[in-house]
Amino acid sequence: MNKHIASFLFFLFIGLNAFSQIYSVSGRVLDTKDNMPLIGVNVLLINPLDSAQNKGTSTDAGGTFRLDEIMNGEYLLNISYISYKTVEKKIAVQDAPIELGNLMLTEDSKLLKEVVVEAKQIRVQQMGDTSQFNADAFKVNKDASTEDLLIKMPGMTSDNGTVKVNGEEVRKILVDGKPFFGDDPRAAIQNLPAEIIDKIQVFDRMSDQAAFTGFDDGNSQKTINILTKNGLSASKLGKFYAGYGGPGNRFNIGLNANAFKGDRRVSLLAMSNNINQQNFNIQDLVGATGSSGNRGGGGGGPGRVGRNSPVNNFLVGQQNGISTTTALGLNYADKIGKQKKVTISGSYFFNATLNDNNSTSTRNYISSSDSGLVYDESKETNSRNFNNRLNMRIEYAIDSNNMLIVTPSLSTQNNKSTSVLDAANTKNAETVSSTSTNQNVRQTGINFSNDILYQHKFLKKGRTISVNLTTSGNTRKSAVDLFTMNTSMPDSIVLTDSIDQKAVVKSNGYTISGSIVYTEPVKKFGQLSITYTPSFTKSASVRNTNNLDTLTGVYTDLDSVLSNSFTNRYITNKLGIAYRYNNKKINWTIAVSGQNALLQSEQTFPAVFSVKKNLWSLLPNVEFNYKFSKTDNLRFFYRTSTTPPSITHLQDVIDNSNSLILSTGNPDLKQTFTQNIGLRVGRTNIEKATNLFVFANASNTIQYIANSTTIFQRDTVLNDITAAAGSQFILPVNLNGYWNARTFITYGFPITKIKCNMNINGGFVYTRTPALIDNVRNNANTYALNAGFALSSNISSKIDFTISYSGNYSFVRNSLQRQNNSSYFTHIASARINYQFWKGFVANTSVTNNLNAGGSASFNTSYWLLNASLAYKFLKDESLELKFSANDMLNQNRNITRNVTEVYTEDIRSNALQRYFMGTITYTLKKTGTGAKADGNKPKDFIRTPPAGVMPPPPPGN
């Protein structure tokens, strides 16, 4: 039956394609005064009967434009350019492409003076939920990266390559609406030169299916779209550098090359260094950590490598310690075919990271009584990680009514690590137990996913159908050699035991899911949606642990307590209905889904048992958007969702990688139910060049996966494993009462007297995390207040400075052992200046103060980071640069972290890269296309940016 249905849908879609014809509209825009082509003119083709068919573009270096995928019908062509009179022209597309020839624009002398003022003030435009920043309104030096430009814009920050907008992490970077290096924002912002950027767009990118239907499915990602300058359509830009210094034989070499030709974009990146420039991404983890989105369950932190397999060694994104990194990346994007119907983009990324990390930590536990238990740890870890990642996206515009999108990805990883750990539990300053561990880990993993989406628009406006099929799979293998010496001291008697074992963990899993969404128009402004979403996930994990046979010297003694074979299945069927109302001012959606979930777990070793849960959920969702004006808007949403426990949460096998912190899974866990409510308000004043953004969000999780921690007061035998006094045993359990709430406000404005931009921000975060400690509930309430500002220059490309401050005050209140309640303060104050002062000489200085106060003696520190460099630019175009730099001149760099959980408070110190000096030679390639210079060939009198409200449409997904 299913085969017949699939065949029917396939031939139905093929049949629908035969009735649709599409054409193109093209032309050339010239200046009436001198017949010269105008670059960057906004061309908008408007369908009066169906705004969904509106098309927009801008002219290239030759003044030409082309609009594809145009259906038969009557249209209004709008051509606008600042300081020129707008031209509107009615055209009719009738079974043939239209070539409009030369279109002449006349300069509007009455508006010229007004345009000069307006263009200087336009920094940001608010277009619905999209914030658009004009790059030319934020001055940076000529060699600046995209990252240098972003941090000058209101609400944007960057920390070690992690970009945040209004406190939310950016998950995706697009370049001209196309993916750039998969989902790795670091690769884009650190390697794209700022001078090629025309505009920056920030929005919540919905999934492709949600963007097509207009009904938000809650799977949006904070996204930045980088719009490049039209004059770079035939350009080559790049940078090649090599540096060496010491002490410690420090080196840094690499290249960054970008080639633009029409629709084709090719980028090549390569780097190798031992100065902690790691350029890694969470996507490189090949699914080694199981399902995302769950909290708690199985503990974590220093002293633990992970549950069932030491997966935390996969977490190589911006590691602590000292790293040597070699990376290679290739990104490609183009439109292919005679009619340019196929858009293809893809990237390949290789990364090899060698990391040496030495850390010490102190952990103060909370308990039902004032136990005074303190855990101290010293750990040395050497890891070697090799990763390959391939991402692709193929869009086939069959015609204006039909689209096919395919997005496959593949990643592989090979990791080796060795670690030496010494840890002890103390009570009232006396040691009660200790452990010394040597561990060797070898891991490999492969992860694959593919998404196929077919979209069809019927002739009736608002009637659509889309079919989505997603498949994913992963397989991984870990081999762990563990040797441990444990000591306990009951009644002043010293007892010792040892562990000498080898473990092999094999796991795999796959998911097949899909969705069918049908939408139907209801009267003039309404639309109805019906959605069916089935999903099947299967995951399996087998762990075999063998102890050393002292008679033979071979690891053949199977330890049944530490071995396990486990399989989990999660099957869901969800049927939903939604209604959407949309007019010029108001857009609201109300939706409800009914979901049936079957969670089935089966263990075949060491004991045979199965657990089966049949769960029903009602999932309502509401969204409301109101546009006060073109620049002011309000958005409110309420969403619900469920998340199943991962196999690492469910598998009932003890992890003894740290004998003082034991953990296991819990096959009785249920899925979580989360409610999320949010409010966003954006307001932009174009005349005053100010923008205000306010965000508030709160979430509550029912059946939250929390930790149940038992702290043993005396030596205890646990499933034939001896747990020493003071050690902990962690079990994931479902608890209600998890809350997370936060607010954020940012306000940006220019200070014209000193030609600077000021951005101020503040916020509040509250988290309530439940836990069981010795079977007594503890609610850990964490409150955090934060505030900061950034003052950045907007004077010229010769001088560029930024002064910033960020402070955070946190206080923790526990329902248990309230005498351990704490508060602490951290701040980062920094200043940076880049000054090209005389005949090619460039000086750069940055100073940062990091302050930690209110914690333990190891946490309370204040240290300064002072970096400076002096460079000289050679050749006529200053493309060759020789630079001498000094890093951490005061030799004070520290690496200090505080972790506050519902069970303990922990301070960690890791080794950090300190003072070194380096000489670097850099060659910069800037070869731009005809009619375009590096600065976009923009006249000094005014900046040619489109006025508010006349824009090409935002990228797909907005």
Side-chain angles (χ1 to χ4, degrees), residues 133 145-173 183-191 200-202 221-226 279-281:
F133 301 90
S145 66
T146 300
E147 183 175 15
D148 298 323
L149 176 65
L150 288 178
I151 60 177
K152 290 196 169 193
M153 296 178 174
M156 295 199 192
T157 59
S158 178
D159 181 17
N160 290 323
T162 299
V163 187
K164 291 186 177 181
V165 177
N166 302 322
E168 294 184 84
E169 183 176 346
V170 173
R171 300 292 182 179
K172 186 178 288 290
I173 296 284
D183 291 329
D184 193 346
R186 294 180 180 90
I189 68 168
Q190 294 177 351
N191 293 287
I200 296 289
Q201 294 179 334
V202 180
Q221 294 179 316
K222 183 64 69 175
T223 301
I224 287 178
N225 183 39
I226 299 171
N279 200 25
F280 233 92
N281 186 269

Side-chain angles (χ1 to χ4, degrees), residues 120-124 684-691 748-750:
K120 288 181 179 178
Q121 291 179 339
I122 293 179
R123 301 163 69 237
V124 59
T684 302
N685 188 317
I686 295 179
E687 289 185 8
K688 296 182 179 180
T690 64
N691 66 290
F749 59 94

